[in-house]
Each structure stands twice: as C-alpha cells, then as structure tokens.
Amino acid sequence: MTFLAPRSLSEALELRAAHPAAVPLAGGTDVMVGVNAGTRRPALLDLTRVPELREWTVRDGIVRLGAGVTYSRVVRELSRLLPGLSAAGATVGSAQIRNRATVGGNVATASPAGDGVPPLIAAGAEVELSSVREVRRIPLARFATGPKRTVLAADELVTAVLVPVRTGPQAFAKIGGRNAMVIAVANVAVDLRPDRREVGAAIGAAAATVRHAPAAAHLAATELNWAARHPADTALLREFGALIAAAAAPIDDVRGTAAYRRHALAVIAARALGWAWDEYRATTRNEEPFCTSP
Ligand SMILES: Cc1cc2nc3c(=O)[nH]c(=O)nc-3n(C[C@H](O)[C@H](O)[C@H](O)COP(=O)(O)OP(=O)(O)OC[C@H]3O[C@@H](n4cnc5c(N)ncnc54)[C@H](O)[C@@H]3O)c2cc1C
C-alpha cells in the first residue's frame, strides 16, 4: 500500500499534485472504515504530520480553523468563539472518535448528515482550497454538490474553514436513534447576529447536501424583537420550525422517513432558535460585542 507522509503543507500540496489518486487521510474515521472493511485499498496521503493544518487563529474578524483541527480541540479550545460548532462537535461519535475526527475531514467527506457543517454554514463560513496552483475560497454552502461529491479538484486539499467572528449566540440541535454515537436523522444550526439584526439557519440530513434555510432565517430576523428583547412567541417559533421543514428535501432511509425528518426538523429548529434567543435576552445591552476572543 502506498503511504505518503508529508511533513509540511507545501510538501503535501506537491504530493497531492503528483499523486491525484491518493486519498487524503486526516483522522481516518471515515477513510479507514472502508479500508478496514476491505472494500478499498487506496494509496493514502497522510495529513496528520502537517503542522499548518492543525493551527487556528483569529484575525480581522475571521476565525481561521485549520482543516486538521480535531473535534476534541474544537470542544476544548473554541467553545466560546465557535459555540455552534463546538456543540455539534461534542455530539460527533465518541471521545475516541473526536480525538481523531477533524473539521476538514467532516467537511471533505460531504455527508449530508455531517454534524459540523450546519453550524459553519449558518455562520456564513467559507472553505479554503489549496493546490500548488492557487489558494481559493468559496462559501462552504457551495462546496458539497451531493453526498460524497464536492467541487474539490484532484490536486486540491481543504486547508481551512474561515468563520466570521460571531456577534451573538449560536445553537445546534440534532436528533438520532439514541443519545450518543449516532449519525443525525436531522440536525439544525442557528446563528444570531444582533449587530445586523440577521439570523443564519442551516439544516443537515435534510437534503442531498447541508443547506441554508433562508426563509426561516428571514422570518426570525424580522419578527424577533431585537430592541426590547421580548420572549420569542410560541407561534413564531412554530412558524420558524415550519419554514425550516419546508426548506428540507429529505429522503426515506434506514434511519428515518422523509415525513419524520420534516417533523423532527420543525421541532428541533424551534428549540434551537428558542435557546439562542433566550441566551441573547440574558445579555445586557451594554455588553461588549458578544465574543471577540477565545
Ligand atoms: C464510530 C463513528 C461515529 C461517527 N459519528 C459521527 C457523528 O456523530 N457525526 C458526524 O458528523 N460524523 C461522524 N462520524 C464520521 C467522521 O468521524 C467525521 O466525518 C469526521 O469529522 C471525519 O474526519 P476525519 O479527520 O476522520 O476524516 P478522514 O476519515 O481522514 O477523511 C474523510 C474524508 O475527507 C477527505 N479529507 C480529509 N481531510 C482532507 C483535506 N484536508 N483535504 C481534502 N480532503 C480531505 C478524505 O480523503 C476522506 O474522503 C463517525 C465516524 C465513526 C467511525
């Protein structure tokens, strides 16, 4: 088995260009499932020794999260800066899986049920794709084109996810067959931006790719009383949930029917918006911008 083990990003990009058939390997929690089952035996491009991919920084209002940052680190180090991603990350697999599983792997695997993707899309994240030719950034919402399909070119790697620093609360909710070690039957993320009176909302396991729910987000942004911080009306939360469900195009599969997924999305979306709004209401008007440091 060919095993390529670059020690720097430039070496990784050169090897990627020279061996386009080699499969990038980050935590391996998706890749090795197939390898261990004997269904595939590809050449591997191991990214775990590339230090640049393991860094995260905050600069000019953007959190730059290296593709190789694990979910254990997201939960440990980024729960204040990226609470939506952190909440989602805490539900990924088990402690052992989270110690290996990376944000970049979660994004690149392009599962419609990937838990880290809705919070990132709700927050307006971009993904950075690098090759020896160029570095480009695209909205994360446009990265996956279907289950396990992306716009990644054969010589590109996902090098980072770029997330605007939040100005308000974020919430994530997920439903599955049990409480832990479970692939989402549906998941949803909400991002409140009080500075612009905007809301971001994204849903997963609800269509071929994780997607925005713009009508629901618009309703919340225009109907919530940002100035007076009144409690969210139950009817508004229900209508928000209904618009979230309407944004979905789910399928029947072994984990749930399309009808159940729509119902579940409506319920967990209303809850997530309620949690985020209650957190916003609990802050005082004079508080500094919600979070600018870890
Ligand atoms: C027991 C178990 C439980 C799980 N539970 C969950 C869960 O609850 N929620 C969830 O979302 N996921 C879950 N997963 C799936 C998996 O853990 C996540 O998708 C994880 O984030 C993948 O990251 P990784 O670093 O292990 O990726 P890898 O397995 O290394 O790679 C995944 C894919 O991304 C590609 N890739 C990785 N890094 C890059 C890069 N930098 N550039 C280009 N391509 C790259 C690989 O070639 C591969 O196609 C689970 C997996 C297991 C085995």
Side-chain angles (χ1 to χ4, degrees), residues 91 93 111 113-115 174-178 180-187 205 255 261:
T91 76
S111 162
D115 287 311
K174 163 178 175 177
I175 192 159
R178 58 188 181 189
M181 284 285 284
V182 70
I183 297 175
V185 173
N187 57 22
R255 289 195 291 278
R261 285 196 155 94

Side-chain angles (χ1 to χ4, degrees), residues 16 22-33 40 47 53 67-69 71 88 91-94 97-98 100-111 113-117 143 152 156-160 174 181-184 187:
R16 177 76 165 142
V23 173
L25 177 74
T29 60
D30 280 319
V31 171
M32 295 311 293
V33 173
R40 58 195 306 219
L47 302 175
L53 297 179
V69 175
Y71 276 117
T91 76
V92 169
S94 59
I97 293 291
R98 291 191 290 274
R100 299 289 310 175
T102 62
V103 176
N106 206 203
V107 165
T109 210
S111 162
D115 287 311
V117 184
F143 175 70
L152 197 71
E156 282 180 320
L157 290 172
V158 174
T159 39
K174 163 178 175 177
M181 284 285 284
V182 70
I183 297 175
N187 57 22

Side-chain angles (χ1 to χ4, degrees), residues 1-2 5 10 16 21 25 30 35 41 45-46 56 142 153 155 170 177 197 199-200 214 220 230 235 245 260 283:
M1 182 185 234
T2 305
S10 59
R16 177 76 165 142
L25 177 74
D30 280 319
V35 172
R41 202 156 173 79
L45 174 61
D46 176 31
W56 65 264
R142 295 217 311 264
D155 64 348
Q170 301 175 335
R197 299 194 173 178
V199 172
H230 288 152
Y260 176 71
T283 63

Side-chain angles (χ1 to χ4, degrees), residues 169-233:
Q170 301 175 335
F172 172 81
K174 163 178 175 177
I175 192 159
R178 58 188 181 189
N179 206 27
M181 284 285 284
V182 70
I183 297 175
V185 173
N187 57 22
V188 63
V190 171
D191 178 77
L192 299 189
R193 301 163 202 153
D195 56 329
R196 285 177 282 157
R197 299 194 173 178
E198 284 177 6
V199 172
I203 51 177
T209 59
V210 177
R211 52 167 68 171
H212 282 293
H218 179 73
L219 173 85
T222 51
E223 295 298 321
L224 287 167
N225 192 326
W226 298 95
R229 302 178 190 229
H230 288 152
D233 195 68

